[in-house]
């Protein structure tokens, strides 16, 4: 897979630092810019990097931060403990995440570690939303639920630079 120089420039501007280990644009925002990138399991400097689907849009990240601040992660972790169907679907999302990353490259240091607290707790909604956007609806149930709670972060236009054209 390739990533265009303009995509890398946009992601770097979104992050406020040079993008590292980007393998592909995993999802595009409603404005056309990348909002989730797929990263290599091992960064170019050799560091293991378990977050395969990395949310880059600062507007989306800010909205997700508001959800996290509301205590939603604690509530959803409790739901996992009391709802076996949700727990099974969340475990399946974890397994899909691991399989996707392993298909890119095997990194023993992060074997079995996905993102966002999967499979037993909810630790980072940013990672769950990134996974849900990249994988599509129906793969990560809590990522899907978080997406439903977010406003249209792209409605005001691109978060950085100009709309791609």
């Amino acid at each position: 897979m390739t990533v265009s120089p303009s995509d890398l420039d946009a992601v770097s501007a979104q992050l406020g630092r040079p993008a590292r280990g980007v393998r592909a644009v995993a999802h595009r925002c409603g404005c056309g810019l990348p909002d989730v990138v797929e990263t290599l399991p091992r960064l170019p400097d050799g560091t293991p990097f378990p977050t395969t689907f990395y949310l880059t849009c600062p507007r989306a990240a800010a909205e997700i931060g508001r959800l996290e601040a509301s205590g939603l992660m604690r509530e959803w972790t409790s739901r996992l403990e009391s709802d076996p169907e949700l727990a099974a679907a969340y475990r399946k999302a974890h397994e899909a995440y691991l399989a996707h990353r392993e298909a890119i490259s095997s990194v023993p240091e992060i074997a079995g570690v996905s993102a966002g607290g999967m499979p037993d707790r909810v630790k980072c909604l940013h990672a769950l939303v990134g996974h849900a956007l990249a994988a599509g609806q129906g793969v990560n149930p809590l990522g899907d639920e978080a997406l439903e709670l977010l406003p249209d972060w792209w409605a005001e236009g691109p978060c950085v630079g100009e709309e791609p054209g």
Side-chain angles (χ1 to χ4, degrees):
M1 292 185 192
T2 61
V3 180
S4 76
S6 62
D7 285 337
L8 285 176
D9 289 345
V11 170
S12 294
Q14 290 171 327
L15 298 174
R17 62 166 174 77
R20 302 175 300 153
V22 175
R23 181 173 185 263
V25 173
H27 187 267
R28 288 191 181 274
C29 181
C31 75
L33 291 175
D35 58 4
V36 178
V37 293
E38 181 181 288
T39 59
L40 294 168
R42 189 177 297 281
L43 296 177
D45 70 359
T47 304
F49 194 73
T51 308
T52 304
F53 302 110
Y54 195 90
L55 184 78
T56 60
C57 175
R59 287 186 190 152
E63 294 297 338
I64 294 165
R66 286 190 249 296
L67 289 178
E68 287 185 345
S70 75
L72 195 59
M73 296 180 307
R74 194 170 35 256
E75 176 187 322
W76 285 1
T77 295
S78 293
R79 281 180 57 206
L80 288 172
E81 295 167 3
S82 63
D83 183 339
E85 287 181 29
L86 177 61
Y90 196 56
R91 179 164 290 284
K92 188 174 178 183
H94 163 74
E95 291 166 358
Y97 200 104
L98 293 176
H100 186 94
R101 186 177 67 219
E102 186 69 21
I104 298 168
S105 179
S106 180
V107 177
E109 300 97 302
I110 55 175
V113 176
S114 58
M118 292 187 288
D120 301 315
R121 61 190 174 116
V122 180
K123 180 180 171 191
C124 178
L125 294 180
H126 298 81
L128 301 182
V129 167
H131 185 211
L133 287 170
Q137 188 171 20
V139 175
N140 190 314
L142 295 180
D144 290 346
E145 283 190 42
L147 274 170
E148 291 175 16
L149 297 173
L150 296 175
D152 296 339
W153 63 85
W154 60 87
E156 296 178 28
C159 58
V160 296
E162 295 297 318
E163 189 170 340

